[in-house]
Amino acid sequence: MSANPTITPLKRSTREYDDKEFLGEHFSYLLADLLDDWYNGYNLVAYKAIDAYEDYIKNNRPEIKDMEMHEAIDQFQKRVEQELDVQFNIFQKYMYDNITRLPPNTNIQLAHHKDLDLSATKEQEDLLDQELLKARRKILAQKGFKHKLECKSRDLDKELAEVDKVSNMLQLLTKIARNENVPHVDDSIRYVASEAERLRQSTAALVEAIQGNGLLDRVADNQNDRSKFVQATLQKLMERYKNRAPASSSS
């Protein structure tokens, strides 16, 4: 007959747990919440029993006045609440001291601690904290970069929307020009450039002709002769005016 297999006792985490905290993590709910549910539950039962007792008195003791009955029921309810609180405190103490009390050196392993190495040293924990801090900073940097990209993307979307508006407007203008037989802008620009070049060439030829025939000198001579004639005429008029001025004053 084979020997009984050796059972390795489960190791509790190196972390020091309070019994209530440890059992709460093990059962996935706090014992205090369980006790609160029980407390609320039996109080609800007590209140319903008191309401039923009040209805019974109303139906079977009509000689009792409502005011007297309400006063008596209120006093009875307060006594019941006080007694329930006292008894629940006793039960709660018994619950923590006996039912949920863990004996010393009890080896219990939490389900989510299975296969985990909980024997890390302080240096190892500090190193892990540093690595977590670095990872957190990298994540925050990536989030910041992502936010910038999203903002830039929104700006580009706005610019593309404006470009689409301009493009649609140009297409509309092109369509109108085509329907109205308006020359294309490029053709008009080429025509204006061609006419400007012809005007430049004509002007250059005219300047060369004027310079070659000495017309500028002739114009200058004509201007000098005309200026001399105008000055001589003005001089004569001034002399006549001066000669007439004394005669007019003596008469």
Side-chain angles (χ1 to χ4, degrees), residues 56 92 178 206 220:
Y56 174 81
Q92 184 177 13
R178 188 183 301 111
L206 180 60

Side-chain angles (χ1 to χ4, degrees), residues 109-122:
Q109 184 184 44
L110 298 175
H112 54 277
H113 287 174
K114 187 178 180 181
D115 299 329
L116 294 180
D117 182 10
L118 301 176
S119 60
T121 62
K122 182 65 168 57

Side-chain angles (χ1 to χ4, degrees), residues 15-221:
R15 180 182 181 278
E16 291 298 330
Y17 280 86
D18 177 80
D19 285 349
K20 295 187 290 295
E21 182 185 11
F22 185 84
L23 290 176
E25 188 172 351
H26 177 66
F27 291 118
S28 299
Y29 61 84
L30 296 177
L31 296 178
D33 293 339
L34 178 62
L35 291 171
D36 288 341
D37 291 339
W38 286 347
Y39 179 81
N40 295 330
Y42 77 67
N43 271 284
L44 180 61
V45 172
Y47 291 142
K48 287 186 176 181
I50 293 173
D51 291 339
Y53 181 60
E54 184 177 1
D55 293 337
Y56 174 81
I57 294 175
K58 288 181 180 179
N59 296 329
N60 295 277
R61 299 292 299 274
E63 69 276 8
I64 300 177
K65 296 181 180 180
D66 290 342
M67 184 176 296
E68 295 177 356
M69 183 183 61
H70 287 312
E71 291 179 356
I73 291 296
D74 289 341
Q75 293 179 2
F76 176 70
Q77 181 173 326
K78 290 179 181 179
R79 291 288 301 275
V80 171
E81 290 174 349
Q82 293 174 357
E83 187 63 26
L84 289 177
D85 289 342
V86 171
Q87 297 301 323
F88 184 79
N89 289 335
I90 296 174
F91 171 75
Q92 184 177 13
K93 187 175 186 304
Y94 180 80
M95 179 81 172
Y96 285 136
D97 293 344
N98 296 276
I99 299 176
T100 61
R101 180 177 176 274
L102 297 176
N105 300 322
T106 302
N107 293 320
I108 299 177
Q109 184 184 44
L110 298 175
H112 54 277
H113 287 174
K114 187 178 180 181
D115 299 329
L116 294 180
D117 182 10
L118 301 176
S119 60
T121 62
K122 182 65 168 57
E123 291 75 12
Q124 291 173 335
E125 291 180 355
D126 293 340
L127 179 61
L128 179 60
D129 290 339
Q130 293 177 4
E131 295 297 329
L132 290 175
L133 181 60
K134 291 180 181 179
R136 181 175 179 272
R137 289 175 177 173
K138 289 181 180 179
I139 292 174
L140 292 177
Q142 291 177 356
K143 287 184 176 180
F145 182 67
K146 180 181 178 182
H147 176 70
K148 291 182 179 179
L149 289 178
E150 290 176 349
C151 293
K152 187 63 177 179
S153 177
R154 287 193 293 269
D155 294 339
L156 291 176
D157 290 339
K158 293 180 181 179
E159 293 179 2
L160 289 175
E162 293 296 328
V163 171
D164 290 339
K165 289 182 180 179
V166 175
S167 177
N168 294 333
M169 183 62 68
L170 289 176
Q171 292 178 1
L172 178 61
L173 293 175
T174 302
K175 183 177 180 181
I176 294 174
R178 188 183 301 111
N179 294 335
E180 299 297 331
N181 295 324
V182 177
H184 196 272
V185 176
D186 294 341
D187 297 336
S188 300
I189 292 175
R190 282 193 292 268
Y191 175 75
V192 171
S194 175
E195 292 299 317
E197 179 62 22
R198 289 178 57 188
L199 179 60
R200 186 190 67 79
Q201 293 176 359
S202 300
T203 304
L206 180 60
V207 170
E208 290 178 358
I210 291 173
Q211 291 177 349
N213 296 327
L215 295 178
L216 291 176
D217 295 336
R218 294 179 187 178
V219 172
D221 294 340

